[in-house]
Amino acid sequence: MTNFIEELRWRGMIHDMIPGTEEQLLKERTSAYLGIDPTADSLHIGHLVGVMMLRHLQRAGHRPLALIGGATGMIGDPSMKSAERNLLDEETLRHNQECIKRQLAKFLDFDSDAPNSAVLVNNYDWMKDYTFLAFIRDIGKHITVNYMMAKDSVKKRLSGENSAGMSFTEFSYQLLQGYDYLYLYRNYGCRLQMGGSDQWGNITTGTELIRRKEGGEAFGLVCPLITKADGGKFGKTESGNVWLDPARTSPYVFYQFWLNVNDADAARYIKIFTTLGQEEIAQLEKEQAEAPHLRPLQKRLAEELTVLVHSRADYDAAVAASSILFGQGTKEQLQTLDEGTLLSVFEGVPQFEVSREALSAGIKIAELLTEHAAVLPSKGELRKLVAAGGLSLNKEKVTSPDDLVTTEQLIAGRYLLVQRGKKNYYLLIVG
């Protein structure tokens, strides 16, 4: 086994831990858990810090327990939240759990017979038949209200200027999470709980419950909450979360997110979100310092994550799509794009709808781009542009205003890409 704590330390992934945690992990193979909220059928990149902690844990020889918070997800964790969340029904919960497990399997080994093979558990399974009376007798009496009120997550919600208070449901959350830890301690020999720094209060409630109920010793470790260098929220774009599910966030958009982080963030993120070693990262940082315009950190970060979350083929397609957008791509590369990637690449460019009939017999490009799609104001303007070599169709220069365009040239069966000058793109959609 390797030193898991040392690994997290140099990666900048430790915010705080309970004394004795490092000694426990060096002493023996340890089972550790981290909770994942199942409110959607996909993880987003905000979950990745926790998932990478589990991945490093397993690589160090310990056993990861990924806990889907089916019961706690029905209530909602008050930490870092200013309002209560919607409650899920069981069918939705099970669907979300299956989808999340498929995504986690790219990061963790669930299926081997290794002694530290990962386990997926759902706290709904042990909470659903636990009666309220039994719970408050068995668990509630061991943790005082004073102890619960002292937690930051509770204090912030109750003292906020605009506070609408907190329901008993949410107030009880830390007891439920504490019981999860006790249950996993008893049934899986779990000795460590991990999470973001906002989970510290919930984790210590669990270790306290284990001490009082079992006389046992349990540990906790939290990582810093990830922010951007400019203080902005990590993992959000203008259109919302960056998801791991390609149906929600295309591999191209996913790749572009990592490629476009700034230099300071790239230097931190490559340590947190990849398993690249210290020497390799140091070499990339050296290359970045010598030639920042080549962005070696961002390129490697985007490659590692796109290949891990999606596939090598998706990564190659994203790179090809980027080159198309920024001028170097070829007609052949363009023809290989699937519809989803094409629309991701050219999101926001002007679009025109054209009837399929117009193209079926062939139409002159001068007529197509002035009468059917107002890419240019007149045929005279178009002729001037063609003469200057400034008009391309599907990445090929247009040589004559009388060139014919047919349905055979369509990309993905229904698109034509027009380029005017170096930077102006137009997408023609054939109905």
Side-chain angles (χ1 to χ4, degrees), residues 92-351:
T92 306
L93 196 61
R94 294 298 180 199
H95 167 74
N96 292 357
Q97 177 183 329
E98 282 308 306
C99 295
I100 289 169
K101 182 172 184 184
R102 283 197 294 276
Q103 291 178 341
L104 287 174
K106 295 186 174 184
F107 295 83
L108 303 172
D109 167 22
F110 286 98
D111 298 322
S112 77
D113 47 14
N116 69 328
S117 133
V119 181
L120 187 82
V121 292
N122 188 331
N123 60 14
Y124 183 73
D125 294 328
W126 56 82
M127 287 307 304
K128 65 175 190 256
D129 297 323
Y130 204 163
T131 68
F132 179 68
L133 284 176
F135 184 79
I136 55 172
R137 264 181 52 143
D138 298 347
I139 306 303
K141 69 176 182 181
H142 291 282
I143 302 291
T144 67
V145 169
N146 311 42
Y147 180 87
M148 293 171 76
M149 292 285 284
K151 301 292 183 186
D152 281 347
S153 57
V154 175
K155 278 200 291 202
K156 280 180 187 159
R157 275 288 291 277
L158 294 180
S159 63
E161 283 179 25
N162 305 320
S163 175
M166 180 190 237
S167 68
F168 175 76
T169 306
E170 278 202 339
F171 182 61
S172 66
Y173 184 93
Q174 60 174 291
L175 280 184
L176 291 169
Q177 189 167 324
Y179 178 67
D180 285 343
Y181 199 173
L182 176 63
Y183 181 91
L184 294 175
Y185 176 89
R186 285 172 172 169
N187 294 279
Y188 291 86
C190 180
R191 301 291 301 278
L192 172 65
Q193 184 184 167
M194 304 188 294
S197 57
D198 58 320
Q199 293 298 309
W200 184 253
N202 294 328
I203 290 172
T204 50
T205 298
T207 60
E208 184 66 7
L209 198 53
I210 288 166
R211 186 182 70 77
R212 293 188 185 185
K213 287 281 287 179
E214 305 289 305
E217 190 177 25
F219 302 93
L221 182 159
V222 291
C223 63
L225 293 178
I226 304 299
T227 55
K228 295 197 294 191
D230 63 8
K233 190 159 173 145
F234 166 74
K236 295 274 189 189
T237 64
E238 286 173 14
S239 50
N241 285 326
V242 179
W243 299 91
L244 273 54
D245 181 349
R248 287 172 176 256
T249 299
S250 73
Y252 170 78
V253 170
F254 184 85
Y255 165 79
Q256 283 291 329
F257 173 84
W258 299 105
L259 192 64
N260 289 315
V261 298
N262 69 34
D263 290 2
D265 287 334
R268 284 190 310 133
Y269 295 170
I270 201 157
K271 291 175 182 164
I272 294 167
F273 297 110
T274 77
T275 51
L276 297 178
Q278 240 169 320
E279 284 178 21
E280 199 168 355
I281 290 175
Q283 178 59 33
L284 287 163
E285 287 176 326
K286 182 168 169 277
E287 289 169 23
Q288 187 94 354
E290 288 165 0
H293 63 287
L294 295 177
R295 301 166 72 79
L297 280 173
Q298 284 93 334
K299 284 177 179 170
R300 190 61 190 279
L301 175 67
E303 177 183 0
E304 291 288 318
L305 276 158
T306 308
V307 171
L308 179 60
V309 170
H310 297 292
S311 69
R312 174 63 62 183
D314 285 323
Y315 164 73
D316 291 339
V319 173
S322 297
S323 70
I324 287 162
L325 183 58
F326 300 111
Q328 282 81 45
T330 63
K331 176 190 172 188
E332 287 69 34
Q333 284 178 320
L334 190 61
Q335 292 290 356
T336 64
L337 295 189
D338 62 78
E339 185 173 23
T341 305
L342 181 80
L343 292 174
S344 294
V345 174
F346 295 103
E347 185 182 6
V349 310
Q351 296 183 355

